[in-house]
Amino acid sequence: MSLIVLCFTFFYIGLFTIGGGVVAITLMQQAIVEKGLISSEQFYNMIAISESTPGPIGINMATYIGYNLYGIPGAILTSLCEALPSLLIILIVARFLQKFHENQFVKGSLAFLRPVTTGLILVPVVQIFIFTLINVPEEWGSLLTLAGWKDLFEWISLAFYGLCVFLLLKFKCHPIIIIVLGAVFGVVYF
């Protein structure tokens, strides 16, 4: 894929990402991973790094993928192409919102987009959860044995996930601490 095609791909992703950067993960996976530009493992590592760095995840992913494939020019161009549709749409919407914010069609469209966006956000959450915590067996018949169930989960990762949820809920631990713990866990365990 040339840099120009990659830029158009990120413009497309930015244009159709309704609901935030997390929704872009699904589109990026289809456009980048399924076309063989990077592996699934690289993609999920990019998600982890993008979530850990400041800024919107969609822009961070675009920057990281652009840099990974085309260096600094790729990082700059893919980031701009990811952000440009949002900027244009915001300028257009701001211009006309005062006229149409009471319009029933506009209200209905926004009411429709809320559950759709929730579903689009849920897809990458489930994919990341499955990718990091569950070992999908090659043969499902292996689950009929105790050893098959023992190997189904990444038990250490699952225990760490449980610990992080516990720290967040019980002790109201700041998310930055959880991110740092996750980074240390990833470096030490993997």
Side-chain angles (χ1 to χ4, degrees):
M1 181 180 287
S2 71
L3 181 57
I4 293 171
V5 173
L6 189 65
C7 288
F8 279 116
T9 300
F10 277 104
F11 186 86
Y12 161 80
I13 291 168
L15 186 62
F16 290 101
T17 300
I18 299 170
V22 176
V23 177
I25 292 173
T26 304
L27 292 174
M28 285 182 200
Q29 183 177 21
Q30 292 170 349
I32 306 297
V33 176
E34 291 179 8
K35 291 187 179 174
L37 294 175
I38 60 173
S39 69
S40 291
E41 185 176 353
Q42 287 175 309
F43 183 73
Y44 289 120
N45 288 336
M46 288 179 185
I47 292 172
I49 291 170
S50 296
E51 281 285 349
S52 302
T53 54
I57 187 170
I59 301 294
N60 290 348
M61 288 285 294
T63 305
Y64 195 65
I65 290 170
Y67 181 79
N68 192 39
L69 296 175
Y70 290 102
I72 292 175
I76 293 169
L77 290 174
T78 54
S79 299
L80 289 173
C81 289
E82 169 77 17
L84 186 60
S86 297
L87 177 65
L88 296 174
I89 290 169
I90 288 171
L91 290 173
I92 293 168
V93 168
R95 171 106 169 104
F96 296 105
L97 186 62
Q98 289 300 331
K99 290 182 183 179
F100 297 110
H101 78 279
E102 291 298 324
N103 183 305
Q104 292 302 318
F105 177 73
V106 172
K107 285 183 177 181
S109 297
L110 292 175
F112 169 76
L113 287 175
R114 285 185 192 108
V116 170
T117 302
T118 303
L120 288 172
I121 290 171
L122 188 60
V123 168
V125 168
V126 170
Q127 287 176 333
I128 291 169
F129 186 84
I130 290 171
F131 181 79
T132 57
L133 300 177
I134 298 175
N135 293 320
V136 178
E138 291 179 22
E139 291 189 27
W140 289 97
S142 66
L143 293 178
L144 299 175
T145 66
L146 183 60
W149 280 98
K150 182 185 78 143
D151 294 336
L152 180 62
F153 296 102
E154 287 286 338
W155 291 104
I156 295 173
S157 296
L158 195 60
F160 181 75
Y161 172 77
L163 173 68
C164 290
V165 170
F166 177 75
L167 291 172
L168 281 168
L169 298 177
K170 179 71 175 170
F171 295 108
K172 308 288 187 234
C173 197
H174 197 280
I176 295 292
I177 295 171
I178 300 299
I179 291 171
V180 170
L181 287 174
V184 170
F185 176 76
V187 168
V188 170
Y189 183 65
F190 296 103

